[in-house]
Amino acid sequence: MNATQMATAPKQPVRDIVDYELLFDCVHCGLCLEACPTYVATRKEMDSPRGRIYLMKSLAEGRLELEPDVVRHLDLCLECRGCETACPSGVRYGRLIEKARFYIAAHYPRSKAEHLLRWVISSLFPHPTRLRPLLWPIKAVETLGLRSVVEQILPGKLGGWLSLLPPLVQTNHTEHQPWPTARQTIDGPTVTVHQGCVAQLFFSRTNQNAARLLKAAGYRVVPMARTPCCGALDWHLAYVEKAKRFARANIREIQRIQADVIVSTGSGCSAAIAEYGELLHDDPHFRDQAQAISGKVRDLSSLLLEARLSFPKFPCTVTYHDSCHLTHVLGVREAPRKLLRSIPGLRLVEMKDSDLCCGSAGSYNLLEPEMARELVRRKVDNILATGADYVVQSNPGCELHIAAELRRRRAKTQVIHLADFLALAMDAQTGARSELSVSAQ
Ligand code: SF4
Ligand code: SF4
């Protein structure tokens, strides 16, 4: 701490709500404000990164108590980390808000309904074996053509949750054909595709396509025998011990299969694994292994670009949505765009605010449906203004959330994961018809 900071530091002990010294990196310039989706939506200072940092500092210094208003402004943060990439002073906002949330979880008396909601999310979504049986009645209702009716009559947030799910009844399963442009396996690093938790159920095709593309690019792909949840969902809900258990399970499995590189089709999962070193920094048995695993995370688009995978002609107009954690945590912006531009006949049109969060943000759209809906409305306005046939993105959560809004508007534009889009372009040369919509397995 420098002299100015010492002079402004409080006399009483600082409460352990955040890494206090990190707060002083913020110079209050406000350059992050327009990069913050909640500030853009509400125009309230306390819904901005600068305002939230002020709240955290006031809490830490005992000038403010954990009152409902304060918690509300902090709860409304998406942890999208758009403010981090916008900040010229290198403020580690993600670390600040994460610790503040742990503090809130330990000290703020939430209502029983809020506790229950968080417990349900944590007990169901990271566990495919628990979630899968719950989809059977939804499939039955959908087969009877009654799904939209059920969405209207379900109480509380349940109807909104159901509307986020894609159609579950699928037809037209296509056998994969070999791609003529596929390479011989290169004697390079082995890659594993982390299957995600919810993604195991709804995006198994996306995971398969990611593996097909990596193989076509010449990588040796090794499967995980069992993919535990990456832990991100519990981490962001401040169930940190549970998140650590998931992290350790992943580390053990990745070490067992001896993968050199870890890819996930969920950018939130990639970012979480890339931060295992931080999550387990105080675990003497796993600290070093966690650091090593974090260093193995790579992004699918970067690997395909490096391997110079070539694509056949696929004429269409595409816009690209930057998934938050791929952009703001892993720092990947250009690789997916370069890949798309390498497809002959494809026209890439940039949308306004492509890197502003769509409102999905892990379990945010389940916990904060109003703000999530407002943000996805803005996102889809920007998508439709491009006139694109496809909006390509790199995260299943974004896909579900944007697809639900496109369905509500009966829009023709199709939202599609980058892995599925590239597979679609490759399949076009073999005459195979890729399955585009997601389906529960
Ligand atoms: S977080 Fe960074 S960009 Fe935002 S006000 Fe502070 S110093 Fe400025
Ligand atoms: S993480 Fe996202 S929502 Fe939260 S303050 Fe930063 S930009 Fe705003």
Side-chain angles (χ1 to χ4, degrees), residues 224-360:
M224 290 170 78
R226 187 181 73 86
T227 306
C229 169
C230 67
L233 208 132
D234 283 294
W235 197 348
H236 296 150
L237 286 169
Y239 295 139
V240 70
E241 289 309 317
K242 192 174 168 207
K244 285 180 181 177
R245 286 199 292 279
F246 277 131
R248 292 185 197 106
N250 274 287
I251 291 168
R252 281 192 286 267
E253 176 61 10
I254 292 164
Q255 285 179 331
R256 190 189 67 76
I257 61 170
Q258 299 185 331
D260 302 309
V261 176
I262 304 151
V263 163
S264 171
T265 54
S267 56
C269 307
S270 298
I273 300 169
E275 295 192 327
Y276 276 177
E278 208 156 302
L279 179 66
L280 295 174
H281 76 279
D282 56 358
D283 180 333
H285 299 298
F286 275 87
R287 183 173 41 219
D288 294 343
Q289 300 167 58
Q291 283 288 1
I293 293 290
S294 290
K296 293 180 177 201
V297 173
R298 293 292 312 278
D299 157 58
L300 176 70
S301 60
S302 307
L303 289 177
L304 298 180
L305 200 63
E306 280 168 21
R308 298 176 188 276
L309 184 62
S310 61
F311 296 92
K313 196 169 177 187
F314 192 64
C316 59
T317 303
V318 166
T319 190
Y320 183 75
H321 159 67
D322 289 279
S323 305
C324 296
H325 284 199
L326 186 65
T327 311
H328 304 304
V329 181
L330 301 178
V332 178
R333 281 179 194 264
E334 278 309 307
R337 289 177 165 83
K338 280 185 184 163
L339 266 182
L340 290 170
R341 282 196 204 98
S342 74
I343 298 175
L346 184 146
R347 193 167 72 97
L348 179 64
V349 184
E350 288 293 341
M351 72 172 93
K352 183 171 174 255
D353 295 335
S354 67
D355 61 355
L356 216 55
C357 181
C358 66
S360 173

Side-chain angles (χ1 to χ4, degrees), residues 424-441:
L424 181 71
M426 294 288 268
D427 279 338
Q429 69 186 318
T430 63
R433 180 188 162 281
S434 283
E435 300 139 41
L436 285 181
S437 31
V438 292
S439 61
Q441 300 297 306

Side-chain angles (χ1 to χ4, degrees), residues 40-57:
V40 170
T42 69
R43 293 286 160 195
K44 288 183 188 161
E45 173 72 13
M46 291 307 151
D47 290 331
S48 79
R50 184 173 64 183
R52 291 183 177 118
I53 288 170
Y54 175 80
L55 292 177
M56 290 182 231
K57 191 159 182 280

Side-chain angles (χ1 to χ4, degrees), residues 129-201:
T129 50
R130 296 179 195 169
L131 193 55
R132 188 178 284 112
L134 296 183
L135 299 177
W136 297 337
I138 303 172
K139 271 189 183 177
V141 162
E142 194 175 305
T143 309
L144 294 170
L146 296 173
R147 187 160 142 187
S148 57
V149 178
V150 173
E151 283 174 15
Q152 302 294 325
I153 58 175
L154 274 177
K157 289 177 171 151
L158 288 177
W161 287 18
L162 186 54
S163 74
L164 289 172
L165 290 184
L168 300 182
V169 180
Q170 286 287 307
T171 51
N172 296 332
H173 288 276
T174 313
E175 285 301 312
H176 292 151
Q177 304 291 319
W179 292 326
T181 47
R183 294 232 188 110
Q184 293 297 310
T185 302
I186 50 178
D187 192 19
T190 52
V191 184
T192 194
V193 179
H194 188 279
Q195 305 285 308
C197 52
V198 175
Q200 277 177 48
L201 289 182

Side-chain angles (χ1 to χ4, degrees), residues 59-186:
L59 285 167
E61 294 173 354
R63 291 183 284 113
L64 205 58
E65 293 303 318
L66 271 183
E67 287 155 7
D69 262 9
V70 176
V71 175
R72 189 77 205 106
H73 290 301
L74 296 176
D75 274 355
L76 217 52
C77 170
L78 297 129
E79 289 193 60
C80 67
R81 299 181 48 184
C83 47
E84 279 193 19
T85 44
C87 175
S89 303
V91 170
R92 296 184 63 199
Y93 179 86
R95 176 132 184 108
L96 289 169
I97 188 73
E98 182 184 288
K99 281 206 76 179
R101 286 195 164 157
F102 296 163
Y103 185 86
I104 291 169
H107 296 95
Y108 181 69
R110 289 196 188 274
S111 69
K112 282 191 179 139
E114 277 182 288
H115 271 301
L116 180 66
L117 188 60
R118 284 159 191 268
W119 177 82
V120 167
I121 292 170
S122 167
S123 304
L124 276 184
F125 290 92
H127 304 278
T129 50
R130 296 179 195 169
L131 193 55
R132 188 178 284 112
L134 296 183
L135 299 177
W136 297 337
I138 303 172
K139 271 189 183 177
V141 162
E142 194 175 305
T143 309
L144 294 170
L146 296 173
R147 187 160 142 187
S148 57
V149 178
V150 173
E151 283 174 15
Q152 302 294 325
I153 58 175
L154 274 177
K157 289 177 171 151
L158 288 177
W161 287 18
L162 186 54
S163 74
L164 289 172
L165 290 184
L168 300 182
V169 180
Q170 286 287 307
T171 51
N172 296 332
H173 288 276
T174 313
E175 285 301 312
H176 292 151
Q177 304 291 319
W179 292 326
T181 47
R183 294 232 188 110
Q184 293 297 310
T185 302
I186 50 178

